[in-house]
Amino acid sequence: MMSEWMLNGGINMKKHKKLKIAAGILCLLLIIAIPLCYYLIYISYNHLTVNTYDIKSQKIETSNGENLKFVVVGDLHDNTFNDNDDKLVQTIKAQNPDFIIADGDILNDDSKNPDIAMSFIKRLVKIAPVYYALGNHELEYMQNQKSEDLLDEIKSTGAILLEQEYKDIKVKGVPVRIGGMYGYAFDPNGTTKKADMGDGIYDFLKDFENTSSYKIMMSHRPDSFIFGEASKAWDIDLVVSSHDHGGQVVFPFLGGFYGGDQGYFPEYIHGLYNKDKMKILISSGLGSNKQKLPRFNNVPEVMLVNLSK
């Protein structure tokens, strides 16, 4: 009979062999995982993509049947695409837009100056009219600088800055009203009582919705319209937002990880949504500031919107 010592020795050898195999598999997985993670972070700041969204409305009727086309960019956060930011400008130009929406956070709250952001906007203005909405980083930048000079710098680029303001335009003969608003479109109770809403917001929204034109509201945070009664209360055709970076980290099958006021695994994070009386279009943006987690598996996005009847 085999001695107990030999039997235990054989068992230990088998266990040792299995441990070596397991360690080898783990090492192999790490060898694969580390460059894969690096790649998924790299493409999230450099692999520019164009996503097209088709939106129909009875208000959009051009004389020759053409679509209205506009581009949405947001959350640039001074990203220069590996020192090749011309790639972004040329990509936008190639879409041949009728106008461009710059939906906030084009710079960072801690930017040394707004030069990268303003240079970008100046080049966009040469392509098509640019409508600029303030994001939280523009507002925080001005607080940090203890100055509102940024507002003048944005206007000096030739872009049309809209904060609780709107502009009536005609695009291919179609009347369009474009507005911009950073604040919440509801009061702390989720209702839309004038006395409880932010300063001037109620009057601005009532004025904004009073038109038969196609109405586009630039609202950097989707949170401003997805909570409370906002999407039921206000007569707005399309709200255009960014802010949440598509969830910053995008998990396969699960989607975006985090979205501002919406918390973890938010519902309204990226794409086109029908919510009550309005459509809400949310861009995943073009970059991010220094955050606990980098953009991951989340390519930077230029949105091309086709409006048609």
Side-chain angles (χ1 to χ4, degrees):
M1 291 181 65
M2 188 179 295
S3 69
E4 186 178 342
W5 179 83
M6 290 179 66
L7 183 62
N8 288 338
I11 292 170
N12 286 336
M13 285 181 67
K14 286 181 180 179
K15 285 184 177 179
H16 184 65
K17 187 176 180 181
K18 286 181 179 179
L19 284 171
K20 285 181 69 176
I21 292 171
I25 292 171
L26 282 173
C27 287
L28 182 61
L29 289 174
L30 283 173
I31 290 169
I32 296 170
I34 290 171
L36 178 61
C37 286
Y38 176 82
Y39 172 75
L40 291 175
I41 292 171
Y42 177 84
I43 64 169
S44 297
Y45 291 90
N46 294 285
H47 188 70
L48 190 63
T49 189
V50 178
N51 290 324
T52 302
Y53 297 85
D54 297 318
I55 299 175
K56 295 187 179 298
S57 170
Q58 291 300 311
K59 296 180 180 180
I60 308 297
E61 187 170 5
T62 58
S63 57
N64 56 7
E66 281 187 298
N67 294 344
L68 271 57
K69 295 200 302 182
F70 67 93
V71 159
V72 179
V73 292
D75 296 306
L76 180 68
H77 290 289
D78 283 347
N79 185 12
T80 57
F81 293 87
N82 230 6
D83 295 324
N84 185 21
D85 56 347
D86 190 56
K87 175 174 66 174
L88 172 59
V89 174
Q90 293 306 316
T91 297
I92 294 168
K93 185 177 181 180
Q95 309 315 311
N96 193 28
D98 296 309
F99 59 91
I100 299 166
I101 286 177
D103 209 19
D105 283 7
I106 306 301
L107 77 172
N108 293 315
D109 60 352
D110 59 356
S111 295
K112 291 182 180 179
N113 56 60
D115 291 355
I116 292 174
M118 296 304 103
S119 172
F120 172 61
I121 298 299
K122 284 178 182 177
R123 284 180 286 169
L124 292 191
V125 168
K126 293 178 181 178
I127 298 170
V130 175
Y131 300 90
Y132 194 120
L134 297 178
N136 51 296
H137 278 262
E138 280 88 358
L139 295 170
E140 290 162 14
Y141 176 87
M142 288 188 288
Q143 289 176 356
N144 294 338
Q145 296 291 318
K146 296 180 175 58
S147 168
E148 293 188 351
D149 288 350
L150 178 63
L151 301 180
D152 292 329
E153 296 207 44
I154 294 170
K155 293 173 184 176
S156 73
T157 65
I160 299 166
L161 175 63
L162 297 172
E163 171 52 32
Q164 288 191 40
E165 292 182 279
Y166 62 79
K167 183 84 172 175
D168 287 317
I169 62 173
K170 276 198 171 183
V171 184
K172 296 175 180 173
V174 177
V176 177
R177 175 170 286 185
I178 302 177
M181 187 191 79
Y182 180 77
Y184 290 113
F186 53 90
D187 62 36
N189 297 314
T191 60
T192 53
K193 293 181 180 177
K194 179 177 180 178
D196 298 329
M197 290 182 68
D199 187 33
I201 291 177
Y202 180 92
D203 289 334
F204 166 66
L205 287 171
K206 290 298 287 184
D207 187 26
F208 178 79
E209 67 180 3
N210 186 26
T211 180
S212 60
S213 299
Y214 188 81
K215 297 181 283 287
I216 300 173
M217 177 63 74
M218 302 184 297
S219 174
H220 178 70
R221 300 174 298 183
D223 312 328
S224 294
F225 283 89
I226 63 173
F227 291 125
E229 298 176 356
S231 59
K232 296 178 182 176
W234 303 111
D235 182 14
I236 298 172
D237 296 298
L238 179 65
V239 171
V240 180
S241 299
S242 48
H243 184 59
D244 292 326
H245 305 174
Q248 188 71 3
V249 172
V250 178
F251 292 106
F253 311 111
L254 296 175
F257 180 59
Y258 187 75
D261 291 351
Q262 298 178 69
Y264 295 101
F265 296 106
E267 181 178 358
Y268 299 96
I269 196 66
H270 174 230
L272 181 63
Y273 302 89
N274 292 306
K275 192 168 193 312
D276 300 314
K277 293 171 64 175
M278 62 182 62
K279 294 182 183 295
I280 301 177
L281 184 67
I282 307 173
S283 171
S284 59
L286 294 161
S288 70
N289 196 16
K290 299 169 187 174
Q291 294 179 292
K292 292 180 180 178
L293 293 172
R295 284 178 73 109
F296 182 86
N297 190 31
N298 184 9
V299 295
E301 173 185 48
V302 170
M303 278 185 158
L304 174 64
V305 183
N306 288 314
L307 290 175
S308 65
K309 186 172 180 180

